[in-house]
């Protein structure tokens, strides 16, 4: 097995691995801890294999809003058909940050990929934080932020293309609001990192709306730097696992007229603690 870093900030691709081989799990797990995003190339697997691999990391967190595989309801479908315009996960986000105990990681397996495009881009939230100045770090360490599923998956989204095509469902279950530290101590690596994101974070707790907007905009601007990012290009069979406590991600929607079909499993995490 060959583990090759994708960038200086995060991500690694793993060549020559087989997720069904238990003896390789320790090295794969360590790569996940070290790089926050791992792309394991060329996995010819069944949904059962995908589930068995995910369960080695923890119990499965069944997403409430994504359409599920009929045969395996623990597996969410991430799909864009040829004639659809919107992709799932186009905005920068961190899966499940609207839960008070947010998911640890997500494991996406490529079943069908477009002939070009359809990459996924990731940001290292530890690297973003580490490169901030000491006074800004101290300021951010003292803040908490609210996250919600309501605006993203609730009634206001029922007219969206994703809802109308049945890819997103259960708007009535979008009732989660969660308060998390803006800077968390990562449960596995111990690194400090930012934990707010454009899709699910609604506002900073205890400050005015204008202040909240400016603080979030300052953080979000930093995250746009390519130096903190890694881009994963997919081939059929590739599997990418990312750590939701350490990264943002977004699906690049640049393949209109082509189908992209993925299976996603989300693994349970733990409550997050602030940096102090
Ligand atoms: C997601 O946001 O979970 C999906 C990412 C992707 O399809 O690349």
């Amino acid at each position: 097995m060959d583990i090759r870093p994708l960038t200086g900030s995060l991500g690694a691709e793993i060549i020559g691995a087989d997720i069904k081989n238990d003896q390789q799990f320790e090295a794969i797990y360590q790569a996940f801890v070290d790089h926050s995003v791992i792309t394991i190339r060329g996995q010819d697997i069944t949904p059962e294999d995908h589930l068995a691999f995910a369960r080695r990391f923890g119990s499965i967190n069944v997403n409430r809003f994504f359409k599920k595989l009929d045969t395996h309801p623990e597996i969410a479908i991430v799909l864009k058909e040829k004639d659809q315009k919107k992709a799932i996960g186009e905005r920068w986000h961190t899966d499940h940050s609207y839960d008070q105990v947010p998911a640890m990681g997500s494991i996406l397996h490529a079943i069908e990929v477009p002939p070009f495009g359809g990459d996924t881009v990731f940001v290292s939230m530890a690297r973003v934080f580490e490169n901030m100045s000491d006074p800004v770090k101290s300021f951010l360490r003292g803040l908490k932020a609210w996250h919600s599923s309501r605006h993203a998956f609730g009634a206001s989204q029922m007219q969206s293309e994703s809802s109308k095509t049945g890819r997103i469902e259960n708007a009535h279950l979008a009732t989660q609001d969660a308060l998390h530290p803006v800077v968390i101590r990562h449960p596995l690596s111990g690194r400090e990192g930012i934990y707010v994101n454009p899709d699910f974070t609604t506002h900073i707790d205890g400050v005015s709306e204008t202040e909240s907007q400016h603080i979030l905009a300052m953080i979000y601007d930093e995250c746009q730097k390519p130096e903190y990012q890694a881009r994963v290009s997919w081939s059929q069979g590739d599997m990418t696992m990312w750590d939701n406590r350490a990264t943002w991600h977004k699906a690049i929607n640049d393949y209109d007229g082509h189908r992209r079909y993925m299976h996603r499993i989300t693994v349970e995490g733990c409550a997050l603690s602030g940096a102090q």
Side-chain angles (χ1 to χ4, degrees):
M1 179 191 328
D2 192 10
I3 300 173
R4 303 177 187 164
L6 284 177
T7 72
S9 283
L10 82 167
E13 67 174 345
I14 305 183
I15 319 279
D18 177 359
I19 62 147
K20 300 191 290 300
N21 183 341
D22 287 350
Q23 296 192 334
Q24 294 182 352
F25 181 75
E26 208 178 307
I28 291 174
Y29 181 83
Q30 194 56 49
F32 173 68
V33 174
D34 293 343
H35 300 282
S36 306
V37 177
I38 50 172
T39 296
I40 310 168
R41 300 290 183 195
Q43 298 305 300
D44 183 12
I45 55 163
T46 62
E48 287 80 14
D49 297 329
H50 191 175
L51 277 164
F53 179 68
R55 287 195 179 104
R56 299 209 62 164
F57 288 87
S59 47
I60 308 301
N61 176 321
V62 180
N63 185 282
R64 307 166 190 84
F65 308 115
F66 285 30
K67 185 175 166 58
K68 294 155 192 63
L69 214 54
D70 287 340
T71 48
H72 299 81
E74 306 96 327
I75 300 184
I77 293 173
V78 177
L79 171 66
K80 183 182 172 223
E81 295 283 11
K82 280 182 185 179
D83 60 346
Q84 294 172 345
K85 295 289 170 219
K86 286 276 171 204
I88 306 285
E90 271 184 44
R91 278 165 50 85
W92 285 117
H93 64 284
T94 301
D95 297 335
H96 293 223
S97 74
Y98 46 77
D99 287 332
Q100 198 57 56
V101 179
M104 169 233 233
S106 305
I107 310 177
L108 196 64
H109 183 229
I111 310 297
E112 190 175 335
V113 296
F116 54 81
D119 294 355
T120 310
V121 188
F122 297 89
V123 181
S124 167
M125 302 310 290
R127 192 51 74 91
V128 169
F129 184 70
E130 283 158 9
N131 283 331
M132 288 175 165
S133 64
D134 286 338
V136 170
K137 283 183 183 163
S138 301
F139 170 65
L140 295 180
R141 282 187 189 109
L143 300 176
K144 291 187 172 180
W146 285 97
H147 301 240
S148 182
S149 62
R150 294 171 199 271
H151 60 285
F153 296 112
S156 64
Q157 291 304 308
M158 283 171 77
Q159 291 311 311
S160 68
E161 187 202 61
S162 302
S163 284
K164 287 204 257 182
T165 53
R167 291 179 289 162
I168 296 293
E169 56 193 16
N170 294 330
H172 65 287
L173 297 182
T175 54
Q176 299 76 29
D177 297 304
L179 185 65
H180 300 295
V182 167
V183 181
I184 60 163
R185 172 93 47 205
H186 192 277
L188 294 179
S189 70
R191 286 169 85 184
E192 287 180 292
I194 301 275
Y195 193 76
V196 287
N197 68 87
D199 222 2
F200 301 131
T201 305
T202 54
H203 60 284
I204 305 281
D205 189 50
V207 305
S208 74
E209 193 180 330
T210 311
E211 289 168 335
S212 173
Q213 283 166 0
H214 285 291
I215 295 164
L216 291 173
M218 186 266 295
I219 295 171
Y220 296 169
D221 275 359
E222 275 302 295
C223 297
Q224 303 307 321
K225 290 187 180 158
E227 286 79 358
Y228 305 142
Q229 301 182 0
R231 186 162 175 144
V232 169
S233 295
W234 295 88
S235 295
Q236 185 187 349
D238 289 347
M239 172 177 278
T240 296
M241 177 167 186
W242 58 87
D243 189 322
N244 286 308
R245 294 85 50 94
T247 58
W248 279 3
H249 64 279
K250 108 196 236 358
I252 304 293
N253 184 6
D254 59 352
Y255 53 93
D256 273 1
H258 299 281
R259 188 173 202 254
R260 181 177 183 273
Y261 175 45
M262 326 287 267
H263 286 174
R264 196 184 89 177
I265 300 177
T266 312
V267 180
E268 292 282 9
C270 56
L272 300 174
S273 304
Q276 282 120 348

